[in-house]
Amino acid sequence: MKNKILWWVVFLTAAAPSVYLSIMFFFFPRLLGVDPVEVYLQQNGLWALRFLLVTLACSPLRRLGMKTVVRYRRMLGLYSFFYGTLHLTTYVAGWIEFDWSLFIEDLYRRPFIYVGMFTWVCLFVLAATSPRWMVRRLRKNWVVIHKGVFIAVCAAWLHLWMQSRASAAEPLVYLTIILILLGERVFRRFYKSSLVKPRS
Amino acid sequence: MTRRFSESENHVTPKSMFLNRRQIMQGAGALAMTSMISPLVAAKTANAPNWLNRKINSTVYRSVDTDDSVTDAYDTQRYNNFYEFGTGKDDPVKNAGDFNPYPWEISVSGLCDKPGVLSLEDLVTSSQTEERIYRLRCVEAWSMVVPWTGIQLSSLLRRFQPNSKAKYVAFETIVRKEEMPGQRDRFSFIEWPYVEGLRMDEAFHPLAFLAIGMYGEALPVQNGAPIRLVVPWKYGFKSIKSIVGIRFVDQQPPTTWNLAAPREYGFYSNVNPGRSHPRWSQATERRFGADGKIDRIPTQLFNGYSEVAGLYKDMDLKLFY
Ligand code: HEM
C-alpha cells in the first residue's frame, strides 16, 4: 500500500513539469514567454537532461541507504525519454513547422542537432529495451545495452554545451553533476573494489 | 541616394498620426495580456530626462517606412539579446532596473580632426531626429520590425571630421559590472567591453542609424539605452548597444562575436540566406508580428535592403561573411 502511494507520488511529481509547461503552452502561451515555442522547446530539453541525471543518481543513492529509489529508476529513465520526445516534437512541429528540408539541412549541417538526434536515439533504445520481458529476454545483452545510458548522458551534455554560446555557466553546473555521478562509479570500480569485497 | 531613400524622405508622417496608430494597435488585445504580467512591464524608460522625451515627442518625420507590420512593442521590450544583462531572452528586461543611463557621454577618438567627448544631451538637443521603421534580423533566425527614433550615423560621425586615413569605425559598449550582471559572469564566453565595427563606407551609408528611442519613446535599457546603433542589413549583433566609445581606425577592428567564435561570426555579418551558419539555417526566419504571433518567412539578402549591395560589389559574400 505504502509503495503504491509512493509510486503515484513519484509518477505525478515527475509528470508535473510537463503538465505545467503544456498547460501554459497551449492555454497561456504569452505568459510562458514572448516566444513560447522556444521556452517550451528549451524547458523540455532541460527536463530530459535532468531526468537522465536523476536516473543515474538512483544507484548511488541506494548505496547511501535510500534503498527504495532503484524501484523508480526505470520510470525516471522513461521520463527522460518522454521529455526528450516532447523536446523533439516541439522542434519538428513548433520550431521548423514540419519543413522537412530544414530538418534534413539541420541534421547534416548543425552539429548540435545531430548530437541531439543521437542522444534521442540512445534514449529510444534504452526505453524500448526497458520492459521486464525485454530484460529477461536480452539477459547479459541487456546489461551491455543499458550501459548506453552513460553514452546518452555524455551526448546530452555535449548537445547542451554545443548550443550554449554566451556563457558556460549552465553547462558547467550540469557537467559537475555528471562528473560526480560518473566519478562515483569509477571510484567504486577501481579503488574501492580493491579494498572491499566486490559487490554488484 | 537610392530611390527608396529619397522617396521616403519626402514622406512626412506627423507624430500624432503615428501615436494614434499605436494606441489602436495596443488596444486590440495586447493590453489585456500586458496588464497580467505587469511586474515585468514596469517602464524601464521612466527616468528618461525631459530633454530626451521632449525631443522624441517632437519627432515628426518618418524617413524610412516598410510594408511589413510593426512588431508588438511588448515583444520588442521583452525578447532581447543583451548579454551584459544575462544570457536568457528575458534577462535584460528583468535586470534592466539597476542600470541608469543618464547622464551619458560618448567619447570619439582616433583618426579624426576633432576628437572629443560629446554628451548625449548636447547630441540630442542639437540634432534633427527622425523615425525609421526597420526590419531587425537576428543571426538566431528570428526577426522583428521596429520603429526607431534617432539620427543618421553619418551626421554624428561628420562632427568629428574623420580624416582620409580612417578606414573603419570601431564602437564600444559601456562596462559597468555593478549594474550589468552578465559582465560579472565568470564563465562568459564574451569579453567586455562588447565591441563592434563598420567599414567607413558602411558607416556613412544613409541607412546606418543611431537610435535614441523606439515606438515613440526613449529606448528602454534592455534595448540599448540611451543610444545604440541600428544597421538593418546586418545581423542584429552588429547593432551595438549603449555606446560610450567611437574610434576611427585604419585597420579592421576586432568585433566581439568574431572573437568568441571566428568561424561562426564574421566581421561583415550581412544578412545572407545563402550562407548557412553552423547553428542556424539562415534561409528562413521567425518573424514576430503585430499580434504576438510568430511566422516563419523567407530571409532576404541584406535583409531586403538591396540598396547597400553596391558596398559589396566586388566581394565574395561567402568568403567575407
Ligand atoms: C532529435 C533530437 C533533438 C533535436 C533536434 C534537438 C534540438 C534542440 C534545439 C533546436 C535546441 C534549442 C537551441 C537554441 O535554443 O538555440 C535544443 C536545446 C536543448 N536540448 Fe535538444 N534536441 C534534441 C534532442 C535532445 C535530447 C535527447 C536532449 C536531452 C536528453 C536534449 C537536451 C537539450 C537541452 C538541455 C537544451 C538546452 C536548453 C536550454 O536552452 O537551456 N535535446 N535542442
Side-chain angles (χ1 to χ4, degrees):
Chain A
M1 187 58 205
K2 196 168 143 246
N3 277 340
K4 200 85 196 149
I5 294 174
L6 205 58
W7 189 90
W8 278 102
V9 169
V10 177
F11 180 81
L12 292 175
T13 310
S18 72
V19 173
Y20 166 77
L21 286 169
S22 301
I23 290 175
M24 295 296 281
F25 182 71
F26 289 107
F27 300 106
F28 313 101
R30 296 279 276 175
L31 292 181
L32 204 53
V34 166
D35 186 347
V37 176
E38 184 179 43
V39 176
Y40 195 66
L41 175 79
Q42 294 182 340
Q43 289 302 315
N44 282 318
L46 281 173
W47 282 108
L49 175 59
R50 287 172 191 150
F51 275 100
L52 207 46
L53 299 181
V54 173
T55 309
L56 281 174
C58 284
S59 57
L61 283 176
R62 175 185 57 187
R63 285 189 281 278
L64 287 174
M66 294 176 67
K67 295 252 164 30
T68 46
V69 287
V70 272
R71 248 183 247 152
Y72 307 104
R73 185 168 60 182
R74 186 173 60 153
M75 188 212 291
L76 293 166
L78 284 171
Y79 262 114
S80 175
F81 173 65
F82 168 70
Y83 281 97
T85 305
L86 267 181
H87 177 68
L88 173 60
T89 311
T90 317
Y91 167 81
V92 172
W95 198 250
I96 57 171
E97 298 174 34
F98 301 104
D99 182 340
W100 299 108
S101 63
L102 261 184
F103 185 64
I104 304 291
E105 192 196 322
D106 269 2
L107 266 190
Y108 77 90
R109 275 226 164 114
R110 321 259 172 272
F112 91 93
I113 299 269
Y114 54 71
V115 171
M117 194 70 209
F118 173 76
T119 315
W120 185 84
V121 170
C122 289
L123 292 180
F124 175 79
V125 170
L126 291 168
T129 56
S130 71
R132 270 184 247 284
W133 62 268
M134 271 289 199
V135 183
R136 280 194 295 270
R137 196 155 167 193
L138 292 165
R139 292 189 214 170
K140 273 250 154 65
N141 289 336
W142 188 89
V143 179
V144 176
I145 291 170
H146 278 249
K147 295 269 186 244
V149 71
F150 297 108
I151 298 174
V153 75
C154 293
W157 183 81
L158 189 63
H159 174 65
L160 171 69
W161 171 254
M162 291 171 92
Q163 62 92 47
S164 63
R165 48 192 172 276
S167 170
E170 189 183 39
L172 285 182
V173 170
Y174 287 102
L175 181 65
T176 310
I177 298 170
I178 292 170
L179 288 180
I180 290 171
L181 290 172
L182 300 191
E184 186 266 351
R185 287 168 167 87
V186 173
F187 176 77
R188 227 164 26 88
R189 176 124 190 218
F190 292 106
Y191 181 71
K192 250 199 165 159
S193 62
S194 64
L195 301 176
V196 195
K197 64 179 168 42
R199 277 189 294 173
S200 67
Chain B
M1 245 183 253
T2 61
R3 223 184 95 228
R4 171 209 288 270
F5 210 76
S6 45
E7 210 174 57
S8 41
E9 225 161 22
N10 305 327
H11 176 89
V12 177
T13 315
K15 164 79 175 182
S16 54
M17 258 178 70
F18 171 62
L19 271 178
N20 282 341
R21 253 170 27 88
R22 218 159 49 80
Q23 279 153 2
I24 292 162
M25 220 164 69
Q26 282 198 340
L31 214 60
M33 217 59 207
T34 307
S35 54
M36 288 176 70
I37 326 167
S38 47
L40 276 183
V41 174
K44 296 297 196 277
T45 48
N47 61 345
N50 280 335
W51 49 262
L52 182 55
N53 289 329
R54 227 179 294 126
K55 190 68 176 192
I56 291 169
N57 285 330
S58 64
T59 303
V60 292
Y61 299 103
R62 178 181 300 161
S63 53
V64 181
D65 212 331
T66 168
D67 294 333
D68 303 41
S69 51
V70 170
T71 301
D72 190 344
Y74 178 89
D75 292 2
T76 312
Q77 292 175 15
R78 277 161 200 78
Y79 192 85
N80 308 101
N81 281 329
F82 196 174
Y83 290 121
E84 279 80 346
F85 290 104
T87 55
K89 289 286 185 290
D90 54 352
D91 283 341
V93 67
K94 284 183 190 155
N95 295 327
D98 293 336
F99 185 78
N100 180 13
Y102 312 103
W104 192 267
E105 282 179 342
I106 303 172
S107 116
V108 182
S109 58
L111 304 168
C112 58
D113 295 340
K114 290 195 170 156
V117 175
L118 181 63
S119 80
L120 183 73
E121 181 167 3
D122 288 344
L123 170 65
V124 167
T125 49
S126 65
S127 299
Q128 165 88 34
T129 53
E130 59 192 57
E131 185 180 83
R132 297 185 179 190
I133 303 188
Y134 276 161
R135 291 178 289 276
L136 173 83
R137 170 62 157 79
C138 178
V139 70
E140 295 169 343
W142 53 267
S143 65
M144 292 182 173
V145 181
V146 185
W148 304 103
T149 307
I151 59 171
Q152 200 162 302
L153 175 61
S154 61
S155 77
L156 171 82
L157 298 181
R158 267 200 198 97
R159 290 177 185 227
F160 301 91
Q161 299 182 8
N163 60 38
S164 59
K165 279 194 242 119
K167 296 286 181 291
Y168 294 88
V169 193
F171 301 88
E172 191 177 311
T173 297
I174 195 164
V175 179
R176 269 193 206 163
K177 290 202 164 33
E178 334 74 66
E179 298 176 19
M180 298 175 135
Q183 293 180 339
R184 302 196 293 266
D185 179 353
R186 273 182 290 154
F187 301 107
S188 172
F189 294 133
I190 296 177
E191 306 260 3
W192 317 107
Y194 191 96
V195 288
E196 257 308 332
L198 293 172
R199 220 170 53 195
M200 209 62 171
D201 56 344
E202 296 178 318
F204 276 82
H205 192 280
L207 281 176
F209 198 58
L210 279 170
I212 54 166
M214 65 178 206
Y215 297 87
E217 281 165 39
L219 271 186
V221 165
Q222 65 272 22
N223 294 90
I227 184 162
R228 65 169 292 171
L229 194 63
V230 186
V231 196
W233 72 92
K234 291 176 180 284
Y235 293 122
F237 64 85
K238 294 292 291 182
S239 292
I240 184 171
K241 303 187 177 87
S242 306
I243 300 168
V244 286
I246 297 179
R247 226 180 138 72
F248 297 102
V249 293
D250 56 0
Q251 305 221 325
Q252 183 176 301
T255 57
T256 291
W257 281 102
N258 180 249
L259 291 174
R263 284 188 329 142
E264 295 184 29
Y265 315 96
F267 174 79
Y268 286 96
S269 290
N270 293 316
V271 176
N272 185 352
R275 190 195 176 260
S276 162
H277 184 279
R279 289 170 192 269
W280 309 273
S281 163
Q282 300 296 6
T284 59
E285 64 202 51
R286 296 174 75 238
R287 166 67 59 81
F288 291 79
D291 48 6
K293 289 238 163 51
I294 304 171
D295 290 317
R296 204 173 261 283
I297 59 171
T299 290
Q300 299 169 272
L301 182 61
F302 301 124
N303 203 17
Y305 298 98
S306 51
E307 54 265 58
V308 301
L311 294 171
Y312 313 103
K313 245 194 327 263
D314 304 315
M315 284 170 59
D316 180 348
L317 291 171
K318 290 227 167 110
L319 223 53
F320 295 93
Y321 55 86

